[in-house]
Amino acid sequence: MQVVRVVQEELHPLVVHGPTRARLSGEGLPRQTALLGFGPVAEGRMTTVAEQYEHAVKLPDGVGEMLVIGHLIDADGEELEEIVLDGRTGRVALADIESRFLEARPLATDLDTLLRMAGAVEELASGAGEFGGRFAGQYGPEAVTRLTEALREVADEDCDYWTIATRIRPLACIAGPGDGLRLQLPEGLLDAEFGAESGAGPGARSEADSGVGEVARFADADLPTALTHEPTRRFLRDVGLPVDGGMFTLDEDRPARTLAEVYAHQGKDLLPERADRLICLGYLVEDIDLVVDGATGLVLGRHVEDAGLRPVNADVSTLAFTLWLLRRTRAVDAEHKVTDESYAVLAATLREILAEVDPVACDHAAGGIRGDDGWRYWPEALDEEAGGAL
């Protein structure tokens, strides 16, 4: 990791806080972490917010003199909001300089605390370091609770960024490695989140419920012989999928039929290869049929507009995890309103979690499937704030 330092004589004159001057000229700052980038410091171009702000709106008191020292960054290295420093107190904040109504939102009481918290989150993702080793191999609801509490002990500000880091990031640990599938979901996870009908099949409904929130399970007899991937059959039978997963809706009218059967009225030239072994699960928002490859368990989207297939999830376990993660995230947002000011940070965090748990969901490399141009559903859905994913 590249460390950047600024010699005392070259520090910006507005940096008068002793411990901050010592950090910048002594231990320094990382050039970039998984979450933070300090390009302005590395390149010797620390400027004030006032010098960068171009909108004809008066800046709040004290904000104009704060120094831009870096950016939040996402998994692709894209710069999000600016990290700004109060040179008098050492406090660190976030500011969206592109916003017409700029304000500085608290991030950390000082640079040391900011780096300690960012390091803990990065270690959690990588499994390295003291924090990563402490929680390595721990999965399930209790592990998520312990991890959340440990992260909250490190954070020292009540702000969107730490709310996302402490309440959303630990959700990646809800499920451990699976047997034949990528994940082993905790028993009853979907039922607790979405609700379930005892012994419910794909078409079952409660008299008191319209079906929203139910979890549907498939009997073996309802699954086509084309579904030869046994772990997928077992998951659909024993765990099931939400009837209404927000961005996903189970096809209750035509459950578990092959794509060839569902679109038998279309010419074969409009169907993808191996349509007779692609089993329809339901629909994604944006007019996309969600199917599972009966031989491999790979979950793909069949785009109605061009009939092309593109990978969506590695398998049904990571599909279920993704739907659960989005629903949990909405619950956190309902309480803490993080999307009001920090949608981009939340979306970037979810993309990082998905890339870690299910690389297929975020891998833009073409998969060798006809019509696959590298477009991936979940990253696009998360990045589109108006699309309703969150």
Side-chain angles (χ1 to χ4, degrees), residues 37 44 49 60 66 73 103 128 133 143 188 263 283 300 312 334 341 355 370 373:
V49 171
M66 299 185 85
I73 56 176
E103 62 176 338
Y263 291 99
Y283 312 98
L300 305 115
V312 174
E341 299 286 349
R370 180 170 63 90
D373 54 7

Side-chain angles (χ1 to χ4, degrees), residues 7 12 18 20 22 60 70 72-73 80 96 132-133 147-148 192 202 208 241 258 281 292 306 310 346 350 355-356 360:
V7 297
H12 196 286
T20 301
L72 297 182
I73 56 176
L80 304 176
D96 183 0
L147 185 51
T148 297
L241 290 172
T258 67
L281 298 174
V292 58
D306 61 8
R310 298 172 179 87
L346 178 59
L350 292 176
E356 173 188 334
V360 169

Side-chain angles (χ1 to χ4, degrees), residues 168-169 171-172 193-194 319-331 349-351 353-354 382 390:
I168 301 297
R169 194 62 185 78
L171 299 179
E193 190 64 38
F194 294 94
L319 167 64
F321 167 81
T322 303
L323 300 175
W324 174 86
L325 176 65
L326 292 179
R327 187 162 169 126
R328 280 286 81 222
T329 299
R330 294 188 196 105
T349 299
L350 292 176
R351 288 183 62 188
I353 292 174
L354 281 181
L382 290 170
L390 301 178

Side-chain angles (χ1 to χ4, degrees), residues 272-274 298 300 308-311 366-373 376:
E273 297 176 3
R274 309 184 307 280
L298 178 66
L300 305 115
L309 281 175
R310 298 172 179 87
I369 302 171
R370 180 170 63 90
D372 180 13
D373 54 7
R376 294 294 176 262

Side-chain angles (χ1 to χ4, degrees), residues 18-267:
T20 301
R21 291 180 65 89
R23 158 60 80 168
L24 291 172
S25 61
E27 294 180 67
L29 302 176
R31 175 65 175 80
Q32 182 171 313
T33 73
L35 303 169
L36 315 171
F38 294 101
V41 177
E43 296 157 18
R45 52 181 178 86
M46 290 168 58
T47 57
T48 65
V49 171
E51 289 170 333
Q52 292 200 25
Y53 196 61
E54 298 177 351
H55 298 286
V57 175
K58 181 181 178 182
L59 292 169
D61 291 344
V63 174
E65 294 76 32
M66 299 185 85
L67 295 162
V68 178
I69 61 171
H71 298 83
L72 297 182
I73 56 176
D74 64 15
D76 296 326
E78 180 181 350
E79 295 180 348
L80 304 176
E81 296 179 79
E82 284 80 7
I83 301 171
V84 296
L85 170 71
D86 186 326
R88 296 173 295 104
T89 66
R91 299 187 71 87
V92 188
L94 290 176
D96 183 0
I97 291 183
E98 293 185 1
S99 171
R100 180 173 174 80
F101 304 100
L102 185 146
E103 62 176 338
R105 306 193 312 282
L107 180 60
T109 54
D110 53 45
L111 287 172
D112 287 347
T113 303
L114 172 63
L115 295 176
R116 186 163 59 250
M117 182 64 184
V121 175
E122 189 167 358
E123 287 177 1
L124 168 63
S126 66
E130 186 274 332
F131 203 88
R134 180 176 162 193
F135 291 95
Q138 297 187 33
Y139 303 102
E142 293 183 359
V144 170
T145 298
R146 289 193 297 271
L147 185 51
T148 297
E149 292 173 350
L151 287 173
R152 292 183 69 181
E153 289 177 1
V154 180
D156 70 341
E157 288 284 5
D158 183 16
C159 66
D160 290 350
Y161 185 74
W162 297 135
T163 295
I164 293 167
T166 60
R167 291 174 170 82
I168 301 297
R169 194 62 185 78
L171 299 179
C173 298
I174 193 67
D179 179 14
L181 298 175
R182 283 195 64 88
L183 299 177
Q184 176 69 45
L185 302 185
E187 185 175 354
L189 182 74
L190 297 185
D191 295 340
E193 190 64 38
F194 294 94
E197 282 292 299
S198 177
R205 289 183 183 271
S206 155
E207 292 182 1
D209 196 325
S210 66
V212 174
E214 296 176 10
V215 175
R217 296 179 175 87
F218 295 77
D220 269 325
D222 293 328
L223 296 171
T225 56
L227 181 53
T228 58
H229 192 253
E230 184 54 36
T232 300
R233 293 185 71 94
R234 185 170 63 247
F235 187 95
L236 293 176
R237 182 186 66 229
D238 299 340
V239 180
L241 290 172
V243 172
D244 185 341
M247 302 294 284
F248 165 76
T249 303
L250 193 78
D251 187 348
E252 293 191 284
D253 296 327
R254 302 174 300 189
R257 295 173 61 191
T258 67
L259 199 62
E261 292 173 320
V262 171
Y263 291 99
H265 60 284
Q266 293 189 357

